[in-house]
Amino acid sequence: MRPGGQPNLQQMMKQAQKMQQQLAAAQAELAEAELTGTAGGGLVTVTISGAGEVKAIKIDPKAVDPEDVETLEDLVLAAVHNAHDEVRKLTEEKMGPVTGGMGGLGLPGF
């Protein structure tokens, strides 16, 4: 602060600009990321983008039982949830240092 208790506005603007650049870089890195979630010991695998878009679902033929479709549905759902958890972890890892742990920045919350 300057004498008289007034903050240095120019310094604050530089800090805000630097944070904005870091935030944009972290968001770009997240957008390019692809993460994987699994369930059933790898019987179902889901690939998801850093933005939360499901890109692919792989199902091992061993998971397909026409008599028990509900288990397969549960495995797919569990793999999607696992993939979203991976996105959340990566988002916290990349954005946490930039935002100082502040929430509510319009980031996907999973």
Side-chain angles (χ1 to χ4, degrees), residues 22-34 50 90 93-94:
Q22 291 172 331
L23 186 60
Q27 287 173 327
E29 193 172 337
L30 282 169
E32 293 178 18
E34 284 195 355
L90 183 63
E93 177 186 315
K94 297 295 179 187

Side-chain angles (χ1 to χ4, degrees), residues 2-3 32 44 57-58 61 63 65 68 71 74 76 101-102 110:
R2 293 187 294 170
E32 293 178 18
V44 176
I57 298 176
K58 302 283 184 193
D65 178 357
D68 186 14
T71 296
D74 290 344
V76 171
M102 295 184 310
F110 303 103

Side-chain angles (χ1 to χ4, degrees), residues 69-105:
V69 174
E70 188 176 312
T71 296
L72 179 56
E73 292 168 342
D74 290 344
L75 288 172
V76 171
L77 186 60
V80 169
H81 284 248
N82 184 250
H84 278 291
D85 284 343
E86 294 300 317
V87 170
R88 182 189 47 76
K89 289 175 192 173
L90 183 63
T91 300
E92 289 173 0
E93 177 186 315
K94 297 295 179 187
M95 302 304 274
V98 176
T99 62
M102 295 184 310
L105 295 176

Side-chain angles (χ1 to χ4, degrees), residues 1 6-7 13 43 46-47 58 64 76 92 105:
M1 285 199 188
Q6 296 296 321
M13 292 298 288
L43 289 175
V46 173
T47 302
K58 302 283 184 193
V64 180
V76 171
E92 289 173 0
L105 295 176

Side-chain angles (χ1 to χ4, degrees), residues 42-59:
L43 289 175
V44 176
T45 302
V46 173
T47 302
I48 192 168
S49 74
E53 179 184 353
V54 176
K55 297 287 196 170
I57 298 176
K58 302 283 184 193
I59 301 173

